[in-house]
Amino acid sequence: MNFYIVDDDPSIPMILRQILEKNPDNTVVGIAHDAKKALSDIMIMDVNIVLADLLMPGISGIDLIKQLKDLKPDLRSIMISQVKDSDLRAQAYEAGIEFFIDKPINVIEVKTVVEKVAQSVQMATKLNNIQSLVGGGAITAAPVVDQHQHQKEKILSILRFLGITSEAGSSDILAIAQVMLDQNISFRDIDFNATYHIDDREKKIMFQRIRRAIKTGLTNLANISLDGMGDEIVVEYANTLYEYKNVRSEMLLLEGTRTTGGKTSLKRFFDGLVQEV
């Protein structure tokens, strides 16, 4: 995994580099002490994950992430900050960051956060390699040696079928589903504050991203049904992830015969997603 670190405090990139490169699979491909240089470097480098300071002179970390998201949508970002201001943190999540790492740097926190984001990058990369899993409206699982890997690919294939892999909340969905599978727990059993090192405000913002993605999936399922592609897979996902009545309501909304669409439930979607896996 290739990392780029941006922080106007020269000591922070040094500390982070030492932590990251203890894993032989990680490489810090660049370091900058201001956002302008970082933006220039990252555009010509092969970077998977950016770690950026929240408050920097000139271009702030939030503005840097916004620009990078526009130019490189697949790039993942982690914000570094000692600021506890909930409004600023909310702006950072809205800009598209995955997680916060607090200053002073904690080795365990860095490793935990980076591992989660790296896993998300790896799963998203596989989306480009599993198009054969979806064909003719049906999903078939490719042969895999490891059951754990099979679970990941199944989740990805479902999200791809729903057409929501480009949504901002898709990486959150992937990560949460994996936690549920790894720990064998339901959606309501997850302690989001502890697992993701976030406060209630940040949790609310994450849930908003997820709800938007899930709602897009509902609309896409309704469109598939309207196009006459309502096969068994569509019906199964409609029932398991949304309840079919909600897909039907969304269809009626799209047809113009109803003023409100179907409803979504995070609990039903995630529990249903894990059930499908």
Side-chain angles (χ1 to χ4, degrees), residues 28-44:
V28 175
V29 296
I31 289 174
H33 302 304
D34 65 83
K36 186 175 180 180
K37 181 181 186 301
L39 187 60
S40 175
D41 286 350
I42 293 169
M43 292 312 301
I44 60 173

mmCIF file of all heavy atoms in Angstrom, residues 28-44:
data_model
loop_
_atom_site.group_PDB
_atom_site.id
_atom_site.type_symbol
_atom_site.label_atom_id
_atom_site.label_comp_id
_atom_site.label_asym_id
_atom_site.label_seq_id
_atom_site.Cartn_x
_atom_site.Cartn_y
_atom_site.Cartn_z
ATOM 1 N N VAL A 28 5.899 4.603 2.126
ATOM 2 C CA VAL A 28 5.594 6.030 2.108
ATOM 3 C C VAL A 28 6.288 6.597 0.875
ATOM 4 O O VAL A 28 7.516 6.736 0.837
ATOM 5 C CB VAL A 28 6.079 6.728 3.390
ATOM 6 C CG1 VAL A 28 5.853 8.236 3.284
ATOM 7 C CG2 VAL A 28 5.350 6.167 4.611
ATOM 8 N N VAL A 29 5.507 6.924 -0.148
ATOM 9 C CA VAL A 29 6.082 7.340 -1.429
ATOM 10 C C VAL A 29 6.368 8.840 -1.478
ATOM 11 O O VAL A 29 7.041 9.318 -2.406
ATOM 12 C CB VAL A 29 5.158 6.951 -2.601
ATOM 13 C CG1 VAL A 29 5.031 5.445 -2.701
ATOM 14 C CG2 VAL A 29 3.786 7.612 -2.466
ATOM 15 N N GLY A 30 5.843 9.592 -0.491
ATOM 16 C CA GLY A 30 6.103 11.016 -0.503
ATOM 17 C C GLY A 30 5.702 11.697 0.788
ATOM 18 O O GLY A 30 4.833 11.204 1.518
ATOM 19 N N ILE A 31 6.367 12.804 1.076
ATOM 20 C CA ILE A 31 6.083 13.612 2.266
ATOM 21 C C ILE A 31 6.102 15.083 1.854
ATOM 22 O O ILE A 31 6.954 15.504 1.065
ATOM 23 C CB ILE A 31 7.130 13.366 3.370
ATOM 24 C CG1 ILE A 31 6.952 11.965 3.982
ATOM 25 C CG2 ILE A 31 7.031 14.425 4.463
ATOM 26 C CD1 ILE A 31 8.035 11.596 4.982
ATOM 27 N N ALA A 32 5.151 15.850 2.374
ATOM 28 C CA ALA A 32 5.140 17.293 2.118
ATOM 29 C C ALA A 32 4.771 18.012 3.404
ATOM 30 O O ALA A 32 4.114 17.452 4.284
ATOM 31 C CB ALA A 32 4.135 17.634 1.019
ATOM 32 N N HIS A 33 5.208 19.266 3.490
ATOM 33 C CA HIS A 33 4.896 20.078 4.669
ATOM 34 C C HIS A 33 3.881 21.172 4.352
ATOM 35 O O HIS A 33 3.582 22.011 5.201
ATOM 36 C CB HIS A 33 6.178 20.675 5.243
ATOM 37 C CG HIS A 33 7.194 19.633 5.620
ATOM 38 N ND1 HIS A 33 6.903 18.607 6.495
ATOM 39 C CD2 HIS A 33 8.480 19.438 5.217
ATOM 40 C CE1 HIS A 33 7.972 17.833 6.630
ATOM 41 N NE2 HIS A 33 8.930 18.310 5.860
ATOM 42 N N ASP A 34 3.352 21.151 3.131
ATOM 43 C CA ASP A 34 2.264 22.062 2.773
ATOM 44 C C ASP A 34 1.397 21.389 1.714
ATOM 45 O O ASP A 34 1.857 20.503 0.973
ATOM 46 C CB ASP A 34 2.803 23.401 2.257
ATOM 47 C CG ASP A 34 3.575 23.263 0.962
ATOM 48 O OD1 ASP A 34 2.944 23.237 -0.115
ATOM 49 O OD2 ASP A 34 4.819 23.166 1.033
ATOM 50 N N ALA A 35 0.131 21.794 1.656
ATOM 51 C CA ALA A 35 -0.843 21.139 0.787
ATOM 52 C C ALA A 35 -0.563 21.361 -0.693
ATOM 53 O O ALA A 35 -0.857 20.500 -1.526
ATOM 54 C CB ALA A 35 -2.246 21.634 1.136
ATOM 55 N N LYS A 36 0.022 22.517 -1.040
ATOM 56 C CA LYS A 36 0.275 22.821 -2.452
ATOM 57 C C LYS A 36 1.246 21.812 -3.053
ATOM 58 O O LYS A 36 1.022 21.283 -4.152
ATOM 59 C CB LYS A 36 0.823 24.236 -2.591
ATOM 60 C CG LYS A 36 0.974 24.690 -4.037
ATOM 61 C CD LYS A 36 1.418 26.148 -4.099
ATOM 62 C CE LYS A 36 1.561 26.614 -5.541
ATOM 63 N NZ LYS A 36 1.991 28.033 -5.617
ATOM 64 N N LYS A 37 2.342 21.539 -2.345
ATOM 65 C CA LYS A 37 3.311 20.556 -2.844
ATOM 66 C C LYS A 37 2.689 19.168 -2.881
ATOM 67 O O LYS A 37 2.916 18.394 -3.824
ATOM 68 C CB LYS A 37 4.561 20.538 -1.961
ATOM 69 C CG LYS A 37 5.629 19.547 -2.460
ATOM 70 C CD LYS A 37 6.853 19.537 -1.558
ATOM 71 C CE LYS A 37 7.964 18.658 -2.133
ATOM 72 N NZ LYS A 37 7.533 17.262 -2.315
ATOM 73 N N ALA A 38 1.913 18.852 -1.852
ATOM 74 C CA ALA A 38 1.274 17.535 -1.792
ATOM 75 C C ALA A 38 0.365 17.328 -2.998
ATOM 76 O O ALA A 38 0.379 16.262 -3.627
ATOM 77 C CB ALA A 38 0.481 17.399 -0.501
ATOM 78 N N LEU A 39 -0.427 18.339 -3.315
ATOM 79 C CA LEU A 39 -1.357 18.235 -4.442
ATOM 80 C C LEU A 39 -0.601 17.985 -5.740
ATOM 81 O O LEU A 39 -0.991 17.144 -6.549
ATOM 82 C CB LEU A 39 -2.180 19.520 -4.539
ATOM 83 C CG LEU A 39 -3.320 19.537 -5.565
ATOM 84 C CD1 LEU A 39 -4.333 18.451 -5.249
ATOM 85 C CD2 LEU A 39 -3.986 20.904 -5.587
ATOM 86 N N SER A 40 0.506 18.702 -5.917
ATOM 87 C CA SER A 40 1.319 18.538 -7.125
ATOM 88 C C SER A 40 1.917 17.141 -7.197
ATOM 89 O O SER A 40 1.903 16.496 -8.254
ATOM 90 C CB SER A 40 2.428 19.594 -7.138
ATOM 91 O OG SER A 40 3.297 19.393 -8.230
ATOM 92 N N ASP A 41 2.453 16.646 -6.070
ATOM 93 C CA ASP A 41 3.088 15.327 -6.048
ATOM 94 C C ASP A 41 2.087 14.206 -6.299
ATOM 95 O O ASP A 41 2.334 13.290 -7.103
ATOM 96 C CB ASP A 41 3.764 15.092 -4.696
ATOM 97 C CG ASP A 41 5.042 15.890 -4.535
ATOM 98 O OD1 ASP A 41 5.507 16.472 -5.524
ATOM 99 O OD2 ASP A 41 5.563 15.931 -3.399
ATOM 100 N N ILE A 42 0.979 14.264 -5.573
ATOM 101 C CA ILE A 42 0.019 13.156 -5.599
ATOM 102 C C ILE A 42 -0.579 12.960 -6.980
ATOM 103 O O ILE A 42 -0.913 11.835 -7.366
ATOM 104 C CB ILE A 42 -1.077 13.382 -4.535
ATOM 105 C CG1 ILE A 42 -0.451 13.284 -3.132
ATOM 106 C CG2 ILE A 42 -2.202 12.363 -4.674
ATOM 107 C CD1 ILE A 42 -1.361 13.751 -2.017
ATOM 108 N N MET A 43 -0.695 14.027 -7.740
ATOM 109 C CA MET A 43 -1.267 13.914 -9.080
ATOM 110 C C MET A 43 -0.407 13.088 -10.026
ATOM 111 O O MET A 43 -0.893 12.570 -11.031
ATOM 112 C CB MET A 43 -1.516 15.306 -9.669
ATOM 113 C CG MET A 43 -2.621 16.083 -8.966
ATOM 114 S SD MET A 43 -4.131 15.108 -8.728
ATOM 115 C CE MET A 43 -4.544 14.692 -10.413
ATOM 116 N N ILE A 44 0.878 12.970 -9.731
ATOM 117 C CA ILE A 44 1.760 12.217 -10.630
ATOM 118 C C ILE A 44 2.324 10.955 -9.975
ATOM 119 O O ILE A 44 3.131 10.254 -10.569
ATOM 120 C CB ILE A 44 2.923 13.106 -11.127
ATOM 121 C CG1 ILE A 44 3.773 13.612 -9.960
ATOM 122 C CG2 ILE A 44 2.405 14.274 -11.951
ATOM 123 C CD1 ILE A 44 5.027 14.363 -10.388
#
